[in-house]
């Protein structure tokens, strides 16, 4: 699956798995971070292989980044979800169980798919996993992501429109959310504020805040404490019947 798919501009790489018996399997769209400037490699293919180990098909999207601005990344992500669902029969994927997993700026993009303006209800993912996500451009914004996505002259209204804690609604899919308390790049308040918004809207959310860990750790291989998020997330998938 490549950029030749209709409507797909970003590069989408598939990591499919054989269906279990005759039943199609769930799939997850992986959105690596990189401050809307690049794509972190350790948050890309390694994450897809980990999802494969859980019995899930995976797709890594390298969406457009700067100098492209909003809504280019979101347009790419919506097109990727549509392409996965359209190709589901030949890939052995269940089109009703296509989720999204994003880190940092990719977490912002995942949250945008979950309940952002301009995303039709039919295009939303069924589940969302967000790791140390950029959520707000109104409160404690990550300036690198803000400038890359909206530009240096973004208005207050534009910042609010891109703040995903303000876009949550009762139809937002269930969310698994994790962060570290001493993240120096993206303040943990992003995840706390998002979890509060989800709870207020009645959206199921599982939030984990680990005491220490730098930003951008991905799977956190080699860190016995932070890497616990992968086990918790695997159990969360299982609780939703995705394993």
């Amino acid at each position: 699956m490549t950029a030749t798919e209709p409507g797909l501009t970003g590069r989408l790489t598939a990591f499919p798995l054989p269906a279990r018996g005759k039943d199609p399997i769930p799939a997850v769209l992986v959105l690596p971070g990189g401050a809307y400037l690049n794509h972190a490699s350790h948050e890309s293919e390694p994450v897809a292989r980990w999802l494969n180990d859980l019995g899930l098909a995976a797709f890594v999207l390298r969406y457009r980044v700067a100098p492209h601005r909003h809504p280019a990344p979101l347009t790419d992500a919506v097109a990727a979800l549509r392409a996965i669902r359209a190709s589901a029969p030949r890939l052995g994927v269940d089109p009703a169980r296509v989720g999204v997993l994003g880190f940092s700026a990719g977490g912002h993009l995942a949250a945008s798919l979950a309940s952002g303006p301009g995303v039709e209800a039919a295009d939303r993912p069924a589940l969302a996993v967000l790791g140390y996500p950029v959520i707000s451009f109104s409160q404690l914004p990550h300036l690198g992501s803000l400038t890359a996505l909206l530009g240096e002259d973004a208005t207050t209204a534009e910042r609010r429109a891109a703040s995903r804690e303000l876009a949550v609604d009762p139809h937002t899919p269930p969310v698994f959310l994790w962060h570290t308390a001493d993240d120096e790049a993206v303040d943990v308040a992003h995840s706390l504020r998002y979890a509060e918004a989800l709870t207020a809207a009645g959206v199921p959310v599982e939030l984990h805040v680990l005491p220490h860990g730098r930003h951008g750790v991905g799977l956190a291989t080699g860190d016995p404490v932070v890497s616990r998020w992968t086990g918790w997330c695997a159990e969360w998938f299982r609780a939703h019947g995705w394993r």
Side-chain angles (χ1 to χ4, degrees):
M1 186 176 293
T2 67
T4 59
E5 295 287 330
L8 183 60
T9 302
R11 180 158 63 89
L12 185 63
T13 305
F15 293 77
L17 281 177
R20 294 187 291 262
K22 296 182 179 180
D23 296 328
I25 63 175
V28 179
L29 175 65
V30 178
L31 303 171
Y36 284 115
L37 292 168
N38 49 52
H39 304 105
S41 60
H42 68 288
E43 296 170 350
S44 304
E45 283 75 11
V47 178
R49 296 188 186 98
W50 167 68
L51 290 166
N52 281 172
D53 289 342
L54 299 183
L56 307 174
F59 300 81
V60 175
L61 177 66
R62 284 178 168 78
Y63 48 89
R64 283 175 289 177
V65 296
H68 299 284
R69 297 276 177 82
H70 175 76
L74 181 57
T75 299
D76 293 348
V78 169
L81 282 179
R82 288 178 177 175
I84 293 167
R85 286 171 170 144
S87 302
R90 67 179 175 84
L91 295 173
V93 165
D94 182 353
R97 292 188 294 168
V98 179
V100 64
L101 187 160
F103 297 95
S104 193
H108 178 267
L109 186 52
S112 300
L113 286 172
S115 56
V119 179
E120 297 179 8
D123 288 326
R124 293 188 183 189
L127 297 176
V129 177
L130 280 61
Y132 41 87
V134 174
I135 292 294
S136 183
F137 288 138
S138 297
Q139 302 290 328
L140 298 172
H142 181 253
L143 296 180
S145 297
L146 169 61
T147 301
L149 185 65
L150 301 180
E152 295 181 355
D153 56 350
T155 66
T156 299
E158 289 171 332
R159 291 187 182 203
R160 285 182 59 83
S163 295
R164 295 304 170 233
E165 78 278 19
L166 303 178
V168 170
D169 61 45
H171 302 293
T172 301
V175 176
F176 179 95
L177 187 61
W178 74 276
H179 218 118
T180 56
D182 58 358
D183 189 324
E184 295 182 353
V186 177
D187 197 283
V188 67
H190 283 248
S191 286
L192 297 177
R193 190 171 290 114
Y194 191 56
E196 183 178 13
L198 291 166
T199 301
V203 177
V205 57
E206 181 170 330
L207 168 65
H208 295 272
V209 178
L210 294 137
H212 303 294
R214 64 177 177 80
H215 185 75
V217 294
L219 296 175
T221 304
D223 187 324
V225 176
V226 179
S227 63
R228 288 184 296 172
W229 83 265
T230 59
W232 297 328
C233 187
E235 289 300 322
W236 182 78
F237 278 127
R238 182 180 289 112
H240 285 277
W242 278 40
R243 292 189 61 198

